[in-house]
Amino acid sequence: MNANAIDIAENLILTGYLREAKKILGAILLDEPDNDRAICYMGIIYTETGENDKAIKTLDYYIQRQTETPEAWEALGCAWFKKGELAKAEEYLKKAESLSPDSPSILRNIGVLYGIQKKDEDSHEYILKSYEHNPYDYRTLYALAYSHITLKQYEEAKTIIEETFFLDFPDEIRKELELILVKLQINWF
C-alpha cells in the first residue's frame, strides 16, 4: 500500500502540491521510518519549501543508504545553494549530473549556479543543454533569457521571452519577463 501512496506523493510533488505530498509522506514515515523512497521525497519537499537544514539532514541520511539517486543529489545541491554554500552545491549537483547527464533540471541548476559564480560561458552552455532536453520548462526559459542578456545576446533573449509567454507559469515571473522584454525593446540594456 505504501508504494502506491508514495507514487501519489511523487505526483503531487511534480504538480506542486507539496503540502499534500508532505502529509502523505509524513504518515508513511510514522509507520516506516526507514522507507527510503519516502525519506528521499521528504528531503526534496524540504528543499522545495526552503527548509534547507531539514533537507540537508534528511538527504544526507538518504544518500548514506542510497547513493545512485540523482534527484536526491540534486535536491541536496539545491539546498546547499540556497544556504549560499556554492562549493558544496556544485559538488552535489555535479554528482547528480554524473548519475543523470541528460536531466534538464540538473543541467539548469548547474547553469544557474555557474551564473551566480560568474562563469557566464559555462552557465550558458548548461542552460542551453537543459533547453535542448526540455524547451517547455518556464524555469529553463527564464534562466536562458537571463543568460542571453548576460552575454549581451539581446535578440536571442527577446525570442526566448516571447516563447515563454505561451506557457503557464507564475504571474510574478510573467510580470518580470514582461518588464525585461520592454527594456529589451527600448534598448535599456
Side-chain angles (χ1 to χ4, degrees), residues 23-37:
K23 287 178 189 174
I24 292 169
L25 294 171
I28 292 168
L29 289 169
L30 281 175
D31 290 337
E32 299 176 44
D34 287 333
N35 185 310
D36 285 336
R37 276 186 75 205

Side-chain angles (χ1 to χ4, degrees), residues 77-91:
C78 290
W80 282 112
F81 176 86
K82 291 174 182 179
K83 287 181 65 75
E85 297 284 343
L86 302 185
K88 283 187 178 186
E90 184 173 359
E91 174 188 342

Side-chain angles (χ1 to χ4, degrees), residues 156-168:
E156 291 88 342
K158 284 183 202 175
T159 301
I160 290 298
I161 291 171
E162 289 167 354
E163 276 183 46
T164 305
F165 292 143
F166 291 103
L167 303 175
D168 185 32

Side-chain angles (χ1 to χ4, degrees), residues 6 17 20 25 33 37 43 83 93 100 102 116 120 126 135-136 143 152 155 165 182:
I6 293 174
Y17 293 96
E20 293 81 355
L25 294 171
R37 276 186 75 205
K83 287 181 65 75
L93 288 170
S100 185
D102 295 328
I116 296 295
D120 297 336
Y126 270 90
Y136 305 107
K152 300 184 182 347
E155 288 304 313
F165 292 143
V182 168

Side-chain angles (χ1 to χ4, degrees), residues 89-99 106 110 114 126:
E90 184 173 359
E91 174 188 342
Y92 290 117
L93 288 170
K94 293 300 281 184
K95 174 64 176 178
E97 180 189 21
S98 75
L99 294 169
I106 293 168
I110 293 172
Y114 285 165
Y126 270 90

